Amino acid sequence: MDYKSAYEKEKERCAYLTDRLSQVEEERDVLQARLDFIQNSAFWKMSKPFRKAIHFCIRQASRARRVLHPRDLIKKLKYKKRERQAGLQFGSASFPDQAEITAQREKVFPQMVRVSILVPLWNTPEEFLRDMITSVINQTYENWELCLGDGSDEEHSYVGQICQKYAAQAGGRIIYQKLAKNEGIAGNTNQCYKLATGSYIGLFDHDDILHPCALYEYVKAINETGADFLYCDEATFGGGGLDNLINMHFKPDYAPDTLHGNNYICHFSVFSRQLLEEDTELFRTSLDGSQDHDMILRLTDRAEKVVHIPRLLYYWRSHEGSVAADIEAKPYAVEAARRAVADHLEKHGFRDFQISSTRAFPTIFRIRYQVQDDPRVSIIIPNRDHSEDLKRCIDSIMDRSTYDNYEMVIVENGSTSQEIREYYSRLLGYDYENAVQQLPEHGVTDKPWDRGVMEASASGAAGLRVKIVVYEGEFNYSRINNLGAEYATGEYLLLLNNDTQVITFDWMEELLMYAQRPDVGAVGAKLYYGDHTIQHAGVVIGMGAHGTAGHTHYKHNFRDLGYMGRLCYAQNMSAVTGACLMVKKSLYRQVGGLEESFAVSLNDVDFCLRLRELGKLNIFTPFAELYHYESESRGDDLHGANADRYNQEAARFRERWKTLLEQGDPYYNPNFTLEKSDYSLKLPDSAR
């Protein structure tokens, strides 16, 4: 990278932004002066009663419209119906009836493992304590033990008295110990661990509640899959009990990058005791406040089989002083979480990274890795006519990119306009039409559609950064990109649509820092339409009317945090869009590039799934942002021949990936509907 050039470019941007800020401040001062003049005038003061009356009437009319408009009333009733249905489906009404309880208690698994549930106690309110213990006693799977380590002070001696009464009636399955001193959550949990005798360990907070079937589902999964680390979905509830669900967290399957950015696993973690053999303690007391995130990172690393049970089996109580209510109740937890992630990354050999909180939540992190060496990135841009789109795209790359070692490989595909020929000539620094005529009959690949390549001169507008590859043949997006890859000299390929525009300066570094990892396949960016709504934030397979794939958070406002903050941190996805996709060139070749039988649609998703077959992780990052004016260059015309072609490609995709589609997207919870992209719950027909 030319660091001096990048530095000078950044200085120019800073100077421009400083000047613009000064202008805005001057404009603000002028407007404020005008406003002060108006508000201090005699007329403004005399008209105050009249203005108040007008505003009152406007507010009342607005309220009346909201209440009386049939459309809004129907929408409100539908929402209330869905809300009630969610309570019935996931609240206390989801508990098993007596027949199911009996059947589960009589079930004999090949491995009737004992699960030791660890609960550190500290001044637990009596109601919360009794609810917690009762939820364990009511488990339909009965080979458990409850290990209670009590660090409460003398003013809360009732905690020990209540625990001892329950223990006396539990036939040895409740083990209580009064601790010599309160050692915090981590220290007290470590003391509980010393009491445990089970082959599996479960972590349970002293003020929360387990679903009656929780242990049954976990032991069932252990027997079916050999899982050595398990977790489930969870809900937060308020003072009204389990039918007052504040939010429901339906989680993806194990996703290491998602876990780095956010401790989405959290509750109810159950794991094999063997995973702890290397450690002297379960929790590290130095990370009190985020000891669970640290523990989950360490143990999932060692686990051979991490299993997610997509059911709400853990109820997290929200009350004053709990993290569920407000992270500010435990400010030390944020720094502890940052150190937990940092320690984990250092263990895996990462150096010179940065971890910072995001706007979603203090413990949801953005991680910046150091780009290694200075690899060349080849940006492949298919193009036909659309000179204005292409110019906007290339100008934004050259004006805004802080990464300097790149080339642009434009794959020209049958343009007819004079404007694009003139633009190509400016980019190259010589006459495009004359150069095309002098190209050989075939390029380096000896394929009939490969006419050859022209490279920019030093005097060209792009200054040696551009190659124009001439593709001759019918439109085939996969084939066009594959041809561009043949002429690319970079170690990394960046597939980019011509109707995109760069927003973030370090977009290339953001993609590259993930793509350089040996465990990563494709990396995708966050794309917006021109109206600032989201076009792409990761791809879910099986979503949409055709049952193939769809974009999450589609058409949401660019300011949205996303479901559980998912628009605010990098995460693993099944696929990302080819409109902006970076991958190692060696991987691209290894899987054979884009599949040319998918001439227009689903080629990017198919490509990402083939990378998954190699064991690679695909990543979406929201910190590489671009506009994607999709409808301007491609359109959404799915009529006639276009519809027939799409239907054929969709059928081919469904057949090729039939098994994966039946299994469901591992990064998208099966409790969500595939009919919408907004993480709506999949509810029974009666609730719709």
Side-chain angles (χ1 to χ4, degrees):
M1 178 189 292
D2 185 348
Y3 290 101
K4 185 176 181 180
S5 173
Y7 174 71
E8 292 299 328
K9 191 181 295 185
E10 197 61 32
K11 279 180 62 179
E12 291 176 6
R13 292 194 185 98
C14 289
Y16 167 77
L17 291 173
T18 301
D19 182 59
R20 186 72 187 105
L21 178 61
S22 177
Q23 293 176 18
V24 171
E25 289 176 342
E26 289 177 6
E27 293 169 2
R28 181 201 62 194
D29 292 341
V30 170
L31 292 173
Q32 186 63 49
R34 291 177 180 174
L35 181 61
D36 291 343
F37 175 79
I38 294 171
Q39 291 181 336
N40 290 327
S41 67
F43 175 78
W44 184 264
K45 294 176 181 178
M46 291 171 59
S47 65
K48 184 175 180 180
F50 176 74
R51 286 185 285 105
K52 289 182 68 175
I54 291 294
H55 291 160
F56 175 80
C57 293
I58 291 172
R59 287 195 301 271
Q60 297 308 311
S62 177
R63 287 170 182 165
R65 284 195 300 270
R66 288 200 300 270
V67 171
L68 299 176
H69 198 293
R71 180 189 60 202
D72 293 334
L73 187 60
I74 291 170
K75 185 184 292 186
K76 184 175 289 187
L77 290 172
K78 284 184 176 180
Y79 176 79
K80 289 294 183 183
K81 184 177 181 180
R82 289 179 66 87
E83 197 175 47
R84 287 195 302 272
Q85 183 63 39
L88 290 173
Q89 190 170 350
F90 301 114
S92 62
S94 70
F95 286 10
D97 57 23
Q98 190 55 53
E100 188 176 0
I101 291 172
T102 301
Q104 291 187 6
R105 286 188 171 159
E106 292 177 350
K107 174 70 175 180
V108 178
F109 294 105
Q111 299 180 68
M112 297 292 287
V113 299
R114 174 175 292 181
V115 182
S116 296
I117 302 173
L118 314 185
V119 183
L121 304 172
W122 183 76
N123 297 348
T124 313
E126 180 175 348
E127 178 189 356
F128 300 172
L129 179 63
R130 292 185 182 277
D131 286 348
M132 179 273 294
I133 296 176
T134 301
S135 75
V136 177
I137 292 174
N138 289 340
Q139 289 298 301
T140 58
Y141 180 80
E142 298 183 295
N143 191 14
W144 53 262
E145 66 177 3
L146 180 60
C147 304
L148 305 171
D150 184 10
S152 302
D153 56 33
E154 293 182 2
E155 294 181 12
H156 297 80
S157 58
Y158 66 83
V159 171
Q161 296 169 6
I162 292 172
C163 291
Q164 288 171 346
K165 288 182 180 178
Y166 277 106
Q169 302 168 8
R173 289 189 297 171
I174 296 179
I175 305 168
Y176 169 80
Q177 183 177 86
K178 175 63 179 174
L179 304 180
K181 63 176 181 177
N182 178 36
E183 300 180 24
I185 299 173
N188 291 355
T189 305
N190 288 337
Q191 294 300 322
C192 292
Y193 178 59
K194 295 177 181 179
L195 306 175
T197 64
S199 57
Y200 277 77
I201 306 296
L203 304 178
F204 191 23
D205 288 351
H206 68 160
D207 46 7
D208 296 341
I209 294 174
L210 283 181
H211 189 284
C213 302
L215 294 185
Y216 176 86
E217 293 292 342
Y218 276 57
V219 175
K220 179 172 178 281
I222 290 168
N223 278 269
E224 291 176 349
T225 68
D228 50 359
F229 191 105
L230 307 93
Y231 65 98
C232 65
D233 299 334
E234 62 188 91
T236 303
F237 70 98
L242 297 188
D243 292 327
N244 180 28
L245 301 183
I246 299 172
N247 63 56
M248 293 172 280
H249 188 184
F250 294 99
K251 308 169 186 178
D253 288 352
Y254 178 55
D257 288 285
T258 310
L259 186 58
H260 289 157
N262 176 27
N263 180 18
Y264 75 92
I265 288 180
C266 203
H267 303 119
F268 168 50
S269 293
V270 172
F271 47 87
S272 168
R273 179 189 286 271
Q274 292 180 349
L275 294 181
L276 284 168
E277 288 181 350
E278 300 177 19
D279 288 330
T280 57
E281 56 184 2
L282 170 61
F283 284 152
R284 292 196 290 172
T285 54
S286 60
L287 295 174
D288 217 343
S290 193
Q291 67 290 328
D292 53 347
H293 197 176
D294 170 68
M295 180 275 302
I296 290 168
L297 286 167
R298 285 187 286 126
L299 297 194
T300 52
D301 244 7
R302 300 173 190 165
E304 294 183 5
K305 184 69 174 179
V306 180
V307 169
H308 163 226
I309 299 174
R311 284 192 60 184
L312 278 180
L313 300 175
Y314 190 97
Y315 299 93
W316 194 3
R317 190 188 301 268
S318 177
H319 60 89
E320 186 178 352
S322 70
V323 173
D326 185 6
I327 189 65
E328 299 302 327
K330 297 181 179 180
Y332 58 89
V334 178
E335 180 56 31
R338 187 179 290 110
R339 285 188 286 119
V341 175
D343 287 355
H344 185 260
L345 294 177
E346 288 175 355
K347 176 186 173 185
H348 283 266
F350 291 101
R351 299 290 182 269
D352 301 322
F353 54 82
Q354 297 177 350
I355 302 174
S356 56
S357 296
T358 65
R359 63 191 179 95
F361 201 68
T363 55
I364 293 180
F365 297 126
R366 177 183 183 180
I367 302 172
R368 292 181 177 94
Y369 302 96
Q370 184 70 35
V371 173
Q372 302 300 314
D373 302 320
D374 185 27
R376 171 170 288 190
V377 176
S378 295
I379 305 173
I380 301 175
I381 309 174
N383 187 70
R384 175 171 179 165
D385 295 319
H386 291 278
S387 57
E388 291 302 316
D389 284 339
L390 182 62
K391 183 178 185 303
R392 179 180 57 203
C393 175
I394 290 178
D395 285 350
S396 72
I397 293 171
M398 299 187 68
D399 291 344
R400 301 186 72 84
S401 301
T402 52
Y403 193 78
D404 214 35
N405 190 10
Y406 65 86
E407 65 174 1
M408 290 176 284
V409 182
I410 300 169
V411 188
E412 155 58 30
N413 168 36
S415 294
T416 59
S417 71
Q418 183 60 32
E419 290 83 358
I420 194 63
R421 295 190 186 100
E422 292 174 355
Y423 181 58
Y424 285 158
S425 295
R426 291 198 300 273
L427 287 176
L428 293 170
Y430 51 84
D431 185 67
Y432 167 75
E433 288 191 75
N434 182 57
V436 169
Q437 293 173 5
Q438 297 181 31
L439 287 176
E441 186 176 349
H442 294 297
V444 298
T445 66
D446 290 329
K447 294 177 179 176
W449 52 81
D450 177 11
R451 180 70 184 280
V453 63
M454 293 165 285
E455 300 192 41
S457 68
S459 61
L464 299 176
R465 290 186 182 273
V466 167
K467 296 177 180 177
I468 299 180
V469 177
V470 180
Y471 171 93
E472 295 183 340
E474 64 180 12
F475 179 79
N476 184 309
Y477 179 83
S478 299
R479 186 177 293 165
I480 289 169
N481 278 281
N482 291 343
L483 181 61
E486 291 289 341
Y487 286 95
T489 60
E491 298 174 51
Y492 293 85
L493 303 181
L494 174 49
L495 309 187
L496 189 68
N497 278 22
N498 64 348
D499 54 356
T500 56
Q501 181 181 11
V502 175
I503 298 173
T504 49
F505 294 136
D506 61 346
W507 69 293
M508 227 180 303
E509 293 96 326
E510 182 70 24
L511 299 171
L512 184 56
M513 71 184 193
Y514 288 108
Q516 69 186 359
R517 280 174 26 194
D519 60 335
V520 170
V523 188
K526 188 178 183 185
L527 306 180
Y528 307 112
Y529 286 118
D531 62 359
H532 298 97
T533 59
I534 293 171
Q535 189 265 338
H536 171 263
V539 174
V540 171
I541 60 172
M543 179 178 284
H546 291 84
T548 53
H551 294 188
T552 71
H553 296 102
Y554 183 72
K555 295 295 285 185
H556 282 221
N557 186 276
F558 78 106
R559 291 191 182 92
D560 283 1
L561 301 179
Y563 177 73
M564 302 302 289
R566 291 190 66 167
L567 289 174
C568 297
Y569 64 100
Q571 59 213 259
N572 300 117
M573 302 291 291
S574 279
V576 293
T577 180
C580 181
L581 180 156
M582 184 179 284
V583 64
K584 288 187 186 72
K585 186 176 182 180
S586 58
L587 278 178
Y588 192 87
R589 286 178 167 172
Q590 185 177 350
V591 298
L594 299 184
E595 171 55 57
E596 296 179 7
S597 65
F598 294 108
V600 179
S601 305
L602 299 167
N603 36 58
D604 46 4
V605 183
D606 172 79
F607 175 74
C608 289
L609 295 182
R610 284 185 282 128
L611 290 172
R612 267 185 56 188
E613 283 187 322
L614 294 180
K616 303 299 181 181
L617 297 167
N618 298 318
I619 296 176
F620 155 71
T621 172
F623 304 112
E625 298 172 278
L626 298 88
Y627 288 112
H628 183 200
Y629 304 98
E630 185 177 29
S631 60
E632 294 182 20
S633 65
R634 181 182 63 81
D636 295 311
D637 181 16
L638 288 180
H639 301 287
N642 288 343
D644 292 340
R645 184 205 66 238
Y646 182 83
N647 289 334
Q648 290 171 10
E649 294 186 347
R652 187 180 302 115
F653 181 90
R654 289 192 299 269
E655 180 60 30
R656 170 175 285 191
W657 299 108
K658 181 179 179 181
T659 300
L660 275 186
L661 291 169
E662 289 174 350
Q663 292 171 349
D665 193 312
Y667 305 114
Y668 190 75
N669 194 290
N671 288 294
F672 295 129
T673 178
L674 290 169
E675 298 174 3
K676 298 180 180 180
S677 63
D678 60 357
Y679 290 82
S680 296
L681 290 176
K682 181 169 60 180
L683 297 176
D685 292 338
S686 59
R688 298 178 183 178

